[in-house]
Structures are given as structure tokens and as C-alpha cells.
Amino acid sequence: MLVITLTTDYGNRDYFVSALRGSLLKIKENIKIIDITHEISPFNINEAAYILKNSYKYFPEKSIHIIGISETFKKNIKYKLCKKFNHYFISSDSGIFSLMFPDLEFEELINIDFDNTKSLYPILDLSVDIINKIKDNFDLSKIGKKTNELKILKSFQPTISFNNKILNGQIIYIDRFGNLVSNISSKIFNDFTLNKKFKINLPRKYSITSIKETYSEVNEGEIIALFNSAGFLEISISKADLNKSNGASGLLGIDIMDIIQIEIT
Amino acid sequence: MLVITLTTDYGNRDYFVSALRGSLLKIKENIKIIDITHEISPFNINEAAYILKNSYKYFPEKSIHIIGISETFKKNIKYKLCKKFNHYFISSDSGIFSLMFPDLEFEELINIDFDNTKSLYPILDLSVDIINKIKDNFDLSKIGKKTNELKILKSFQPTISFNNKILNGQIIYIDRFGNLVSNISSKIFNDFTLNKKFKINLPRKYSITSIKETYSEVNEGEIIALFNSAGFLEISISKADLNKSNGASGLLGIDIMDIIQIEIT
Amino acid sequence: MLVITLTTDYGNRDYFVSALRGSLLKIKENIKIIDITHEISPFNINEAAYILKNSYKYFPEKSIHIIGISETFKKNIKYKLCKKFNHYFISSDSGIFSLMFPDLEFEELINIDFDNTKSLYPILDLSVDIINKIKDNFDLSKIGKKTNELKILKSFQPTISFNNKILNGQIIYIDRFGNLVSNISSKIFNDFTLNKKFKINLPRKYSITSIKETYSEVNEGEIIALFNSAGFLEISISKADLNKSNGASGLLGIDIMDIIQIEIT
């Protein structure tokens, strides 16, 4: 069985996604095509990186993950394949690999041989070609040469200031329920607080003084902080009126890029 | 072949659904994972019950239906499995089983052995575990003990008033086309009207005096009442201007929870 | 392997789509059900034709394409199956076949034997029945009689005026990125311009004087014209601010049905 996942910003209405599904289906009978999502905000590499990074690891090893984030207005796009933790990722050289794997250590990193100047749908043409070539034995030498070059995007990393009293993080994602996901991992948090007492400061003077282990330890209406299933500090709020709120994001008026501070008290 | 369906309020953008798909895929080669929907309104047990109740019966017997309606702010959530009509349903003890099957008669009802206090994604962890245990012979004793306890939610049932002259029902669902679905089944309707002449009273003084057998018996622009494919009395209206209306709901200004009356005339 | 695709206006929230998926799943173990889209605008035959026409050809031959565009308010609906390029299409006689294949030349055109007056979900009942009958040898005589009758919808075709100086086309589709797709194919364009110099006139006095081969030849912020992967002239614009625009459609204030002119200069 060959497992292929799709992460795109193409939406579910146009013919792009089904053209991709149909083309992949022609490759091999025993293929499973799984949608991660097609609702990435247009052109949003950061969002795609966050979602795929937290999703791919649930799939079997040797899965092939196709990333189709539109870059149609960029010139001279190159395409790369990286292998990491025995998963395969195909993408334009958009920087997404560096956001997903900031250690930049790959089991393989390949420049895909492909002339995209004549293709109006390169990720389709190229993915079908690659999968045809590697589906039997995953021999990556068939698709291009090894490389060390990669476009690097650096995400904003938490910083420490005020004599080690304050850790500055940032909201990087808001999920369907309005939960606010920060870039503060449990490791960064623990290394900073070292079991000392702390206060989490949010914009508009909201603050929280403890971290819960699960959502179920709180009553409705409370603001809660916990580490989500992706390992990042997340701020949630139980909803008083489902029809008039958007969760923590809406109720607290907090958005992506807003600052979240951990203060030693 | 093992058929697994998913009914959740997780949306199609976050990584929750694909994490679930990927995890299930690892169980067994010959598995079919089918989305019922991931667009249940957040936390809406009634909506999930209505959609799954009208959908599961189209699937093969021995299908396993996973219900993931978020209850993350409730404490001490228990998980149950029920078997009914040779279909298997896995859910938190949210009351959904009682809404789907008000007779409360189950072929099996099991308390699932699972400690959810340490899991941030219990329905995933638990579903994979259950399906691993029962995939070969559906031996439910492997996953927990039989029980008679179940959270009961009572949906508003139609009532009769004014000397048996009026049957009071309620709008319980509005579909994509703005069709208004009531909680008045054809059986309740027929037992009440007994072939006498009747009038259907809607809010804002709209009324209808007949029931059609299919949508095709009406001209565009008319208000129509019929029993939908789920067996409930439904109010529709043909659209004069598709870009400026939301079907019967929008044109008539009627919403969920609004009253619909059957009056013997 | 039997490949079945679904193109509907049912949306992804109601139980209609999963009822269809479940019913098809019961037919045969080795079946692949692929969604083209369920987000066709309600009742919009033109949109469905555009998307399916550009999607089906990526699927394997002998795929069966089910089209479920609601026509529930029309009386006496007939259902047809057509075979074209060794693909099979099932639809109500809505005119979609004539929009997809304006040459009206079919390998087969069949009146499906089906009494829809008693079915509240005819496309489901009928598709399952048809696929059961033809799944083994595609013997279409089992499902109805050959016919030459077909509902014809004529899409607006580009016209020439002003002493062969102007070609008048129309915007027929706007994709997720706000790209404006016209009904001017590359053949119509080339037959008209015959390599002479031209100007593309858009509403609100925008104009373009060249056609690019791919998206990558342009800088961000420019208006660009090219032939898209479906072969039609398309107008795009790179986005200055993703949060405040809808691509070319939003930035230029151009919508479906608007006129696009090619002028020989």
C-alpha cells in the first residue's frame, strides 16, 4: 500500500484537487490518497507548516506528503523532496521544510529535475512523475541530485528579556474553536520557568497563573492554559454563548502575531 | 473490509481530522475511512445526532461510526460504545445515543475502559485502541464492561393541545438549501390528522394546506411541505433569486427552534 | 477497480453526500469513490459543467461520474447517461452534457429507466441501481434505451464585431484565488488575432497587451493574462495585501458575466 497525503491551499471547490486525485489514482491500484487539508489560507506557508508538522507523524512510515501551496507569481521556482523520519515530503522550495524541521537535518534532500516553465500545474505534473519513479523501491536517485541548498524561513522564536524575568512568545495559529496556539513549546517553557511561580500575560491585561494538564479540569467560562496535543502552549476559553463568540480569539480579542509573555513572579 | 465513518465538529482545516485518518490507516490495510461530515457546528450534539441518524443506515452492517463532538470543557468524560442494528457507534457519553435512538434499546452498551485524564486527543487514542481490539471478531468484552447507564438527552417532542385540534412541532434542522426540517415524523402527523383536513401554520402567518409526495409537484416560487428522505415534515420554497436568498429559512424568516403547528380545520 | 466520482451541490455538512458514499460502498469491495466537489453553488449547472469538464479527464478511463445538481423543483425530471472518451456520466437531463460537450457527439446516450416520482433522493437510488447493473461489463442496454434527445443549454460563445476588429468574450468562472476565467479558448483567440498586435480590454478601463506562458513570468502586483490549465484565457493579479483582497476579481471589481474584449490594434 502506498499512502499519499495532500496539503494545499487550493480549496475544495475548484478542479485542482480532483485533478490531482485522479492523476494519482492512475498510478497504481493499491494507493491511499488522504487529504490533510485543502483549506490552507492562500499562499500561507506558515499555516501549512504548522498543520502538516502536527499531522504527518500520525501516518505510516514511507508515506509521501505532497504540499501544494500556491507560489504562482514567483519566478524560477525550484522543487525539492526531503526525507525525514522515514517520511517523504514534496514541495516547491518555499521554506516550508525549514519551518517544519528547524534543525535542517534531513535523511535526504533532493533537487527535483523538473522544468516548470512550461507547466501550468507543476505540482501535479511533477508529483505524478516522481511517484511513478519511486513507488517501487524509493530510489531517490531517479528523480534528481542530492543538494544542501534550501530556502530557509525563520519563524519568530521566543526570546528572553528583563534579566531572565520574561519569556516573549507569539500566537502562531488559531484553530476552529478559537483556541490560541503559541510558539512556546513545553520544553522552552520548562527550561525558562524551572518550576518557579509564573504568570502568563496576554494582550488586554488578561493573565493566567497556572497550566492545566487537560481541558477537563476547568469549569465553563474560565480562561485556561495548557500544552496542546502538538506540544505548544495554548489558551482556551469555554464559551458562554456559542452563537456570539469565536472562542478565546474572539472573546479576548487576540489574533495571530499577538504577543504572549511568561513572567516569573 | 472494515468500514469506519467519522462525524466530528473539528472542521476540515485543522490537523485533528487527518491525524485521526492517519492513525486509523495504520491499523489495517483493508480499511475504508469515510467522512460523514466534519462541519457539525461546534459542540452541537443535536445536529450531529440528526445527521448521523439519517446517514449511518446507508452504510454496510458492521460499520464502526466514530463521533467526535468536542466536549473538552466538561470534566470526567466517559466514553461508550453502543451496538444497534448491527452498527457500532463510539462516542463520549454526551447524550447523542439517546437522541439517535430514543427507544434506548441497544444490542450492546459498553463502558469503554479508558483513562482520559492524560489524553489531549482522547477520541483518537481510544478509537485506535478499540478498533485494534475488535477488528477481527467484534468481541466487545475486550474493550470494557456492559452497562445500563447512559446520559439521556430528550429532544423536544411534538405535543397536542386545544382539544386535540393542534399539534405543536419545532424546526430542528436547516439544510444547505435553506429547507426547514421539523421534528414531526410522518407517523406522528398521520396519527394526529387521521385523514382530516389540516392547515400547517408557520411563524409570520405563513400557512400550507397540503403535503406533496415529491419536490417535483410544485412550480418555482411556491411554498411546499413534504416528508423528506429522513421521514420528517420539511418546508421548502423555490428560489426566485438564488443570489439573494437562503431558501425557505431566509425567505420566510424562520430559524431553528421556531414552532410549526398542524391545525385540524 | 471501479472509480466513481461525485460532483454535487449538496455541501459537506448534510447527510446527503455520506448517504451516497455509504450506498456506493455496499456495491463492491474494490471501489474508489472520489469527490470532485460538493461545493457547486446551489442549482448552478454552468459551474458544475466547468469544473467537471476540466477534472474528469485526469481520471482513468471507464470512470463513472455522478452529477448531483439539485433540480428538486422541476417537474418530470428525466435522467440520462452519456459515454464520451470512454468515461461515463450520470445526470438528470439538466443540459450539463451539452455544456461539457458542445459538439453533442457521444459514444452512447441513454435514457435511464427510472420512475423518479416516488423517490426523494433519485440520484442516489438511481446511481446505485445503475452501477450494480453495469459494474461488471458496462452493458448499457441493462439500464435503458438509446436516445438522441437531450436538453441543450447554450453557453454564451465569443462573438466578433466592428469589422473583425473586436472579439467579445465573457467571464465564466472565478476561482479560489480570484482569478478571472473567460470563455475565450486559445484556439478562438489565435484564430482571431492571427499573430497581429492586440489589446485585452477589461471593464473599468483596465487593459493588457500581452499573454504570458506561465504565472512565473510576472512580478507581484502586475495584471497578467494567460491561458490556464483548462485552455481558457485567464486574468490574474498578484496580491499586494492578502487580507484585503480577493485577487483579480476583487481588486479589479470584475465578476462573472462581465465582458472581456480582444481588440486588434
Side-chain angles (χ1 to χ4, degrees):
Chain A
M1 183 175 60
L2 188 63
V3 175
I4 297 174
T5 81
L6 309 178
T7 304
T8 79
D9 63 354
Y10 302 159
N12 286 302
R13 189 176 62 107
D14 292 329
Y15 65 86
F16 307 124
V17 172
S18 54
L20 191 48
R21 285 190 193 118
S23 302
L24 293 171
L25 205 58
K26 280 196 270 196
I27 292 177
K28 196 184 166 187
E29 180 126 339
N30 195 8
I31 199 171
K32 292 266 188 189
I33 303 162
I34 310 279
D35 300 311
I36 304 286
T37 183
H38 301 290
E39 297 183 9
I40 301 292
S41 307
F43 313 100
N44 194 327
I45 304 287
N46 280 284
E47 193 177 301
Y50 177 77
I51 288 175
L52 184 53
K53 182 178 64 178
N54 291 305
S55 179
Y56 85 88
K57 56 193 169 192
Y58 292 97
F59 285 84
E61 293 194 5
K62 291 201 165 184
S63 292
I64 300 172
H65 306 278
I66 298 174
I67 301 160
I69 304 303
S70 305
E71 296 192 283
T72 49
F73 294 99
K74 299 230 174 62
K75 293 183 183 182
N76 303 319
I77 302 172
K78 303 294 180 201
Y79 290 84
K80 309 253 177 185
L81 178 147
C82 81
K83 180 183 176 191
K84 177 95 177 178
F85 302 128
N86 210 12
H87 285 255
Y88 296 80
F89 301 87
I90 298 171
S91 175
S92 63
D93 190 16
S94 61
I96 192 169
F97 294 163
S98 67
L99 292 172
M100 291 180 64
F101 307 114
D103 65 7
L104 301 178
E105 289 175 12
F106 300 101
E107 287 146 36
E108 301 273 2
L109 184 62
I110 307 282
N111 267 334
I112 297 169
D113 286 333
F114 183 74
D115 175 10
N116 83 310
T117 58
K118 298 296 182 221
S119 173
L120 278 163
Y121 198 165
I123 196 71
L124 184 151
D125 296 334
L126 161 155
S127 296
V128 170
D129 184 54
I130 289 175
I131 293 168
N132 263 316
K133 285 175 176 162
I134 70 171
K135 67 178 190 291
D136 295 320
N137 57 7
F138 286 82
D139 175 1
L140 301 183
S141 70
K142 293 177 181 168
I143 61 167
K145 290 204 162 47
K146 293 189 185 195
T147 182
N148 289 313
E149 285 175 23
L150 187 70
K151 178 170 177 182
I152 308 295
L153 287 179
K154 283 203 188 297
S155 53
F156 178 84
Q157 292 297 320
T159 57
I160 293 174
S161 57
F162 288 101
N163 282 330
N164 292 326
K165 287 262 295 179
I166 291 196
L167 176 71
N168 297 284
Q170 198 180 33
I171 301 302
I172 57 168
Y173 188 72
I174 296 173
D175 74 14
R176 189 189 190 202
F177 304 100
N179 296 320
L180 300 158
V181 181
S182 78
N183 61 348
I184 299 174
S185 68
S186 55
K187 179 175 187 333
I188 288 173
F189 181 88
N190 290 327
D191 288 353
F192 174 73
T193 56
L194 296 170
N195 287 318
K196 285 177 270 190
K197 291 187 76 169
F198 63 88
K199 195 168 69 165
I200 302 171
N201 296 315
L202 302 170
R204 292 156 209 271
K205 308 203 173 173
Y206 294 104
S207 70
I208 308 169
T209 55
S210 69
I211 298 216
K212 303 293 183 188
E213 278 205 31
T214 73
Y215 289 104
S216 58
E217 296 173 49
V218 69
N219 293 310
E220 294 211 4
E222 279 181 46
I223 305 177
I224 178 179
L226 49 62
F227 291 102
N228 70 10
S229 57
F232 291 104
L233 188 64
E234 178 174 308
I235 310 298
S236 293
I237 191 168
S238 174
K239 293 173 191 66
D241 181 341
L242 283 178
N243 294 313
K244 288 182 185 144
S245 79
N246 289 303
S249 170
L251 287 172
L252 305 180
I254 298 175
D255 209 343
I256 283 179
M257 307 288 283
D258 278 353
I259 297 300
I260 173 171
Q261 287 184 333
I262 315 298
E263 180 183 353
I264 303 295
T265 56
Chain B
M1 183 174 62
L2 188 63
V3 174
I4 296 174
T5 80
L6 309 178
T7 305
T8 79
D9 63 354
Y10 303 159
N12 286 302
R13 189 176 61 108
D14 292 328
Y15 65 86
F16 306 124
V17 171
S18 54
L20 191 47
R21 285 190 194 118
S23 301
L24 293 171
L25 206 58
K26 281 196 269 195
I27 292 178
K28 197 184 165 187
E29 179 126 340
N30 195 9
I31 199 170
K32 292 266 188 190
I33 303 162
I34 310 279
D35 300 311
I36 304 286
T37 183
H38 301 290
E39 297 183 9
I40 301 292
S41 307
F43 313 100
N44 194 327
I45 303 288
N46 280 284
E47 193 178 302
Y50 177 77
I51 287 175
L52 184 53
K53 182 177 65 179
N54 291 306
S55 179
Y56 84 88
K57 56 194 168 191
Y58 292 96
F59 285 84
E61 293 194 5
K62 291 201 165 185
S63 292
I64 299 173
H65 306 278
I66 298 174
I67 301 160
I69 304 303
S70 305
E71 297 191 283
T72 48
F73 294 99
K74 299 231 174 61
K75 293 183 184 182
N76 303 318
I77 301 173
K78 302 294 180 201
Y79 290 84
K80 309 252 176 184
L81 178 147
C82 82
K83 181 183 176 190
K84 177 95 177 178
F85 301 128
N86 210 12
H87 285 255
Y88 296 80
F89 301 86
I90 299 171
S91 174
S92 63
D93 190 16
S94 62
I96 192 169
F97 294 163
S98 67
L99 292 172
M100 291 180 64
F101 307 114
D103 65 7
L104 301 179
E105 289 175 12
F106 301 101
E107 286 146 36
E108 301 274 2
L109 184 61
I110 307 282
N111 267 333
I112 296 169
D113 286 333
F114 182 73
D115 175 11
N116 83 311
T117 58
K118 298 296 182 220
S119 173
L120 278 163
Y121 199 165
I123 196 70
L124 184 151
D125 296 334
L126 160 156
S127 296
V128 170
D129 184 54
I130 289 175
I131 292 168
N132 263 316
K133 285 175 177 163
I134 70 171
K135 68 178 190 293
D136 295 320
N137 58 7
F138 286 82
D139 175 1
L140 301 183
S141 70
K142 293 177 182 169
I143 61 166
K145 289 204 163 47
K146 293 190 185 194
T147 182
N148 289 313
E149 285 175 24
L150 187 69
K151 178 169 175 182
I152 308 295
L153 287 179
K154 284 203 188 296
S155 53
F156 179 84
Q157 292 298 319
T159 56
I160 293 173
S161 57
F162 288 101
N163 281 331
N164 293 325
K165 288 262 294 179
I166 292 197
L167 176 71
N168 296 284
Q170 198 180 32
I171 301 302
I172 56 168
Y173 187 72
I174 297 172
D175 73 15
R176 188 189 191 203
F177 304 100
N179 296 321
L180 301 158
V181 180
S182 78
N183 62 348
I184 299 174
S185 68
S186 55
K187 179 174 187 334
I188 288 173
F189 181 88
N190 290 327
D191 288 353
F192 174 73
T193 56
L194 296 170
N195 288 319
K196 285 177 269 192
K197 291 187 76 169
F198 63 88
K199 195 169 70 166
I200 302 171
N201 296 316
L202 302 170
R204 292 157 209 271
K205 308 204 172 171
Y206 294 104
S207 69
I208 308 169
T209 55
S210 70
I211 298 215
K212 303 292 183 189
E213 278 205 31
T214 74
Y215 290 104
S216 59
E217 296 173 50
V218 69
N219 293 310
E220 294 211 5
E222 279 182 47
I223 304 177
I224 179 180
L226 49 62
F227 291 103
N228 69 11
S229 57
F232 291 104
L233 188 64
E234 177 174 309
I235 310 299
S236 292
I237 191 169
S238 174
K239 293 173 191 66
D241 182 342
L242 283 178
N243 294 313
K244 289 184 184 141
S245 78
N246 289 303
S249 170
L251 287 171
L252 305 180
I254 298 175
D255 209 343
I256 283 178
M257 307 288 283
D258 278 353
I259 297 300
I260 173 172
Q261 286 185 333
I262 315 298
E263 180 183 353
I264 303 296
T265 56
Chain C
M1 183 175 60
L2 188 63
V3 174
I4 296 173
T5 81
L6 308 178
T7 305
T8 79
D9 64 354
Y10 302 159
N12 286 302
R13 189 176 61 108
D14 292 329
Y15 65 85
F16 306 125
V17 172
S18 54
L20 190 48
R21 286 191 193 117
S23 301
L24 293 171
L25 205 58
K26 280 196 270 195
I27 292 177
K28 196 184 166 187
E29 179 126 341
N30 194 9
I31 199 170
K32 292 266 188 190
I33 304 162
I34 309 279
D35 300 311
I36 304 286
T37 183
H38 301 291
E39 297 182 10
I40 301 293
S41 307
F43 313 100
N44 194 327
I45 304 288
N46 280 284
E47 193 178 302
Y50 177 76
I51 287 175
L52 184 53
K53 182 178 64 178
N54 291 305
S55 179
Y56 84 88
K57 56 193 169 192
Y58 292 96
F59 286 84
E61 293 195 5
K62 291 201 165 183
S63 292
I64 299 172
H65 306 278
I66 298 174
I67 301 160
I69 303 302
S70 305
E71 296 192 284
T72 48
F73 294 99
K74 299 231 173 61
K75 293 183 184 183
N76 303 318
I77 302 172
K78 302 294 180 201
Y79 290 84
K80 309 252 177 185
L81 178 147
C82 82
K83 181 183 176 190
K84 178 95 176 177
F85 302 128
N86 210 12
H87 285 255
Y88 296 80
F89 301 87
I90 299 171
S91 174
S92 63
D93 189 16
S94 62
I96 192 169
F97 294 163
S98 67
L99 292 172
M100 291 180 64
F101 308 114
D103 65 7
L104 301 178
E105 288 175 13
F106 301 101
E107 286 146 34
E108 301 273 2
L109 184 62
I110 307 281
N111 267 333
I112 296 169
D113 286 333
F114 182 73
D115 175 10
N116 84 311
T117 58
K118 298 297 182 221
S119 173
L120 278 163
Y121 198 165
I123 196 71
L124 184 151
D125 296 334
L126 160 156
S127 296
V128 170
D129 184 54
I130 289 174
I131 293 167
N132 263 316
K133 286 175 176 163
I134 70 171
K135 67 178 191 292
D136 295 320
N137 57 7
F138 286 81
D139 175 1
L140 301 183
S141 70
K142 292 178 182 168
I143 62 167
K145 290 204 163 46
K146 294 189 184 194
T147 183
N148 289 313
E149 286 176 22
L150 187 69
K151 178 169 176 183
I152 308 295
L153 287 179
K154 284 203 189 296
S155 53
F156 178 84
Q157 292 298 320
T159 57
I160 294 173
S161 57
F162 288 102
N163 282 331
N164 293 326
K165 288 262 295 178
I166 292 197
L167 176 72
N168 297 284
Q170 198 180 33
I171 301 302
I172 56 168
Y173 187 72
I174 297 172
D175 74 14
R176 188 190 191 203
F177 304 100
N179 296 321
L180 300 158
V181 181
S182 78
N183 61 349
I184 299 174
S185 68
S186 55
K187 179 174 187 334
I188 288 173
F189 181 88
N190 290 327
D191 288 353
F192 174 73
T193 56
L194 296 170
N195 288 319
K196 285 177 271 191
K197 291 188 76 169
F198 63 88
K199 195 169 70 165
I200 302 171
N201 297 315
L202 302 171
R204 292 156 208 271
K205 308 202 172 173
Y206 294 104
S207 70
I208 308 170
T209 56
S210 70
I211 298 215
K212 303 293 183 190
E213 278 205 32
T214 73
Y215 290 104
S216 58
E217 296 173 50
V218 69
N219 293 310
E220 294 211 4
E222 279 181 46
I223 305 177
I224 178 179
L226 49 62
F227 291 102
N228 69 11
S229 57
F232 291 104
L233 188 65
E234 178 174 308
I235 310 299
S236 292
I237 191 169
S238 174
K239 293 172 191 66
D241 181 341
L242 283 178
N243 294 313
K244 289 185 184 140
S245 79
N246 289 303
S249 170
L251 287 171
L252 305 179
I254 298 175
D255 209 344
I256 283 179
M257 307 288 283
D258 278 353
I259 297 300
I260 173 171
Q261 286 184 333
I262 315 298
E263 180 183 353
I264 303 296
T265 57

Coordinates of all heavy atoms in Angstrom, one line a residue, chain A residues 55-89:
Chain A
S55 N 0.6 16.8 11.7 CA -0.3 15.7 11.2 C 0.5 14.5 10.6 O 0.1 13.4 10.8 CB -1.1 16.4 10.1 OG -2.0 15.4 9.5
Y56 N 1.6 14.8 9.9 CA 2.3 13.7 9.2 C 2.7 12.5 10.1 O 2.6 11.4 9.7 CB 3.5 14.2 8.4 CG 4.8 14.3 9.3 CD1 5.6 13.2 9.4 CD2 5.1 15.4 10.0 CE1 6.7 13.2 10.1 CE2 6.2 15.5 10.8 CZ 7.0 14.4 10.9 OH 8.1 14.4 11.7
K57 N 3.0 12.8 11.3 CA 3.6 11.8 12.2 C 2.5 10.7 12.6 O 2.9 9.7 13.1 CB 4.2 12.4 13.4 CG 3.2 13.3 14.2 CD 4.0 14.1 15.3 CE 3.0 15.2 15.8 NZ 3.7 16.2 16.6
Y58 N 1.3 11.0 12.4 CA 0.2 10.0 12.6 C 0.1 9.0 11.5 O -0.6 8.0 11.6 CB -1.1 10.7 12.8 CG -1.2 11.5 14.1 CD1 -1.0 12.9 14.1 CD2 -1.5 10.9 15.3 CE1 -1.1 13.6 15.3 CE2 -1.6 11.6 16.5 CZ -1.4 13.0 16.5 OH -1.4 13.7 17.6
F59 N 0.8 9.3 10.3 CA 0.7 8.4 9.2 C 1.8 7.4 9.2 O 2.8 7.5 9.9 CB 0.7 9.3 7.9 CG -0.5 10.0 7.6 CD1 -0.8 11.2 8.2 CD2 -1.5 9.5 6.9 CE1 -1.9 11.9 8.1 CE2 -2.7 10.1 6.7 CZ -2.9 11.4 7.3
P60 N 1.6 6.3 8.4 CA 2.6 5.2 8.4 C 3.9 5.8 7.8 O 3.9 6.7 7.0 CB 2.0 4.2 7.4 CG 0.5 4.5 7.3 CD 0.4 6.0 7.6
E61 N 5.0 5.1 8.2 CA 6.3 5.5 7.6 C 6.2 5.2 6.1 O 5.4 4.4 5.7 CB 7.4 4.7 8.3 CG 7.6 5.1 9.7 CD 8.9 4.6 10.3 OE1 9.7 4.0 9.5 OE2 9.2 4.8 11.5
K62 N 7.1 5.8 5.4 CA 7.1 5.8 3.9 C 5.9 6.4 3.2 O 5.6 6.2 2.1 CB 7.2 4.3 3.4 CG 8.6 3.7 3.7 CD 8.9 2.5 2.8 CE 10.4 2.2 2.9 NZ 10.7 1.1 1.9
S63 N 5.1 7.2 4.0 CA 4.1 8.0 3.4 C 4.7 9.1 2.6 O 5.8 9.6 2.9 CB 3.1 8.6 4.4 OG 2.4 7.6 5.1
I64 N 4.1 9.5 1.5 CA 4.6 10.6 0.6 C 3.6 11.8 0.8 O 2.4 11.6 0.6 CB 4.6 10.2 -0.8 CG1 5.6 9.0 -1.0 CG2 5.1 11.4 -1.7 CD1 5.6 8.4 -2.4
H65 N 4.1 12.9 1.2 CA 3.3 14.1 1.6 C 3.5 15.1 0.5 O 4.6 15.7 0.4 CB 3.7 14.6 3.0 CG 3.6 13.5 4.0 ND1 2.4 13.2 4.6 CD2 4.5 12.8 4.6 CE1 2.6 12.2 5.5 NE2 3.9 11.9 5.5
I66 N 2.5 15.4 -0.3 CA 2.6 16.4 -1.3 C 2.0 17.7 -0.8 O 1.0 17.8 -0.2 CB 1.7 16.0 -2.6 CG1 2.3 14.7 -3.1 CG2 1.7 17.1 -3.6 CD1 1.4 14.1 -4.3
I67 N 2.8 18.8 -0.9 CA 2.5 20.1 -0.4 C 2.2 21.0 -1.6 O 3.2 21.3 -2.4 CB 3.6 20.7 0.4 CG1 3.9 19.7 1.6 CG2 3.3 22.1 0.9 CD1 5.3 19.9 2.2
G68 N 1.0 21.5 -1.8 CA 0.7 22.4 -2.9 C 0.3 23.8 -2.4 O -0.9 24.1 -2.4
I69 N 1.2 24.6 -2.0 CA 0.9 25.9 -1.6 C 1.3 26.8 -2.8 O 2.4 26.8 -3.2 CB 1.7 26.4 -0.3 CG1 1.4 25.4 0.8 CG2 1.3 27.8 0.1 CD1 -0.1 25.2 1.2
S70 N 0.3 27.6 -3.2 CA 0.5 28.3 -4.5 C 1.6 29.3 -4.4 O 1.7 30.1 -3.4 CB -0.8 29.1 -4.8 OG -1.9 28.1 -4.9
E71 N 2.4 29.3 -5.4 CA 3.5 30.3 -5.5 C 3.6 30.8 -6.9 O 4.6 31.0 -7.5 CB 4.9 29.7 -5.1 CG 5.0 29.2 -3.8 CD 6.4 28.9 -3.5 OE1 6.9 27.8 -4.0 OE2 7.1 29.7 -2.8
T72 N 2.4 30.9 -7.5 CA 2.4 31.0 -9.0 C 2.9 32.3 -9.5 O 3.2 32.5 -10.6 CB 0.9 30.9 -9.4 OG1 0.1 31.8 -8.6 CG2 0.4 29.5 -9.3
F73 N 3.1 33.3 -8.6 CA 3.7 34.6 -9.1 C 5.2 34.7 -8.8 O 5.7 35.7 -9.1 CB 2.9 35.7 -8.4 CG 1.5 35.8 -8.9 CD1 0.5 35.2 -8.1 CD2 1.2 36.3 -10.1 CE1 -0.8 35.2 -8.5 CE2 -0.2 36.3 -10.6 CZ -1.2 35.7 -9.8
K74 N 5.8 33.7 -8.3 CA 7.2 33.7 -8.1 C 7.9 33.2 -9.3 O 7.4 32.3 -10.0 CB 7.6 32.9 -6.9 CG 6.9 33.4 -5.6 CD 8.0 33.6 -4.5 CE 7.3 34.2 -3.3 NZ 6.2 33.4 -2.7
K75 N 9.0 33.8 -9.6 CA 9.8 33.3 -10.8 C 10.7 32.2 -10.5 O 11.3 32.2 -9.3 CB 10.6 34.5 -11.4 CG 9.7 35.6 -12.0 CD 10.5 36.7 -12.6 CE 9.6 37.8 -13.1 NZ 10.3 38.9 -13.8
N76 N 11.0 31.4 -11.4 CA 12.1 30.4 -11.3 C 11.9 29.5 -10.0 O 12.8 29.4 -9.2 CB 13.5 31.0 -11.2 CG 13.7 31.9 -12.4 OD1 13.4 31.4 -13.5 ND2 14.2 33.1 -12.3
I77 N 10.8 29.0 -9.8 CA 10.5 28.1 -8.7 C 11.3 26.8 -8.9 O 11.2 26.2 -9.9 CB 9.0 27.8 -8.5 CG1 8.3 29.1 -8.4 CG2 8.8 26.9 -7.3 CD1 6.8 29.0 -8.4
K78 N 11.9 26.4 -7.8 CA 12.6 25.0 -7.8 C 11.7 24.1 -6.9 O 11.0 24.6 -6.0 CB 14.0 25.1 -7.2 CG 14.9 26.0 -7.9 CD 15.2 25.6 -9.3 CE 16.2 26.5 -10.0 NZ 16.1 26.4 -11.5
Y79 N 11.8 22.8 -7.2 CA 11.1 21.9 -6.3 C 12.1 20.9 -5.6 O 13.1 20.6 -6.2 CB 10.1 21.1 -7.2 CG 9.0 22.0 -7.7 CD1 9.1 22.8 -8.8 CD2 7.8 22.0 -7.0 CE1 8.1 23.6 -9.2 CE2 6.8 22.9 -7.3 CZ 6.9 23.7 -8.5 OH 5.9 24.5 -8.8
K80 N 11.7 20.6 -4.4 CA 12.6 19.7 -3.6 C 11.8 18.6 -3.0 O 10.6 18.7 -2.8 CB 13.2 20.6 -2.4 CG 13.8 21.9 -2.8 CD 15.3 21.9 -2.7 CE 15.9 23.2 -3.2 NZ 17.3 23.2 -3.3
L81 N 12.5 17.5 -2.7 CA 12.0 16.4 -1.9 C 12.9 16.2 -0.7 O 14.1 16.2 -0.9 CB 11.9 15.1 -2.7 CG 11.4 13.9 -2.0 CD1 10.7 13.0 -2.9 CD2 12.6 13.1 -1.3
C82 N 12.3 16.2 0.5 CA 13.1 15.8 1.6 C 12.6 14.6 2.3 O 11.4 14.3 2.2 CB 13.2 17.0 2.6 SG 11.9 17.2 3.8
K83 N 13.5 13.8 2.9 CA 13.1 12.6 3.6 C 13.5 12.9 5.1 O 14.6 13.3 5.4 CB 13.8 11.4 3.1 CG 13.5 10.1 3.8 CD 14.3 8.9 3.3 CE 14.1 7.7 4.1 NZ 15.0 6.6 3.7
K84 N 12.5 12.6 6.0 CA 12.8 12.9 7.4 C 12.0 11.9 8.2 O 10.7 11.8 7.9 CB 12.4 14.3 7.7 CG 12.6 14.7 9.2 CD 13.9 15.4 9.5 CE 14.0 15.9 10.9 NZ 15.3 16.5 11.2
F85 N 12.5 11.2 9.2 CA 11.8 10.3 10.0 C 11.1 9.2 9.1 O 10.0 8.8 9.4 CB 10.8 10.9 10.9 CG 11.4 11.9 11.9 CD1 10.9 13.2 12.0 CD2 12.5 11.6 12.6 CE1 11.5 14.1 12.8 CE2 13.1 12.5 13.5 CZ 12.6 13.8 13.6
N86 N 11.8 8.9 8.0 CA 11.2 7.9 7.0 C 9.9 8.3 6.4 O 9.1 7.5 5.9 CB 11.1 6.5 7.7 CG 11.3 5.4 6.6 OD1 11.7 5.7 5.5 ND2 10.9 4.2 7.0
H87 N 9.6 9.6 6.4 CA 8.5 10.2 5.6 C 9.1 11.0 4.5 O 10.2 11.6 4.6 CB 7.6 11.1 6.5 CG 6.8 10.4 7.4 ND1 5.4 10.2 7.2 CD2 7.0 9.7 8.6 CE1 4.9 9.5 8.2 NE2 5.8 9.2 9.1
Y88 N 8.4 11.1 3.4 CA 8.8 11.8 2.2 C 7.9 13.1 2.0 O 6.7 13.0 2.0 CB 8.8 10.9 1.0 CG 9.7 9.7 1.1 CD1 9.3 8.6 1.8 CD2 10.9 9.8 0.4 CE1 10.2 7.5 1.9 CE2 11.8 8.7 0.6 CZ 11.4 7.6 1.3 OH 12.3 6.5 1.4
F89 N 8.6 14.2 1.7 CA 7.8 15.4 1.5 C 8.2 16.1 0.2 O 9.4 16.2 -0.1 CB 8.1 16.4 2.6 CG 7.8 15.9 4.0 CD1 8.7 15.1 4.7 CD2 6.5 16.2 4.6 CE1 8.4 14.6 6.0 CE2 6.2 15.7 5.8 CZ 7.1 14.9 6.5

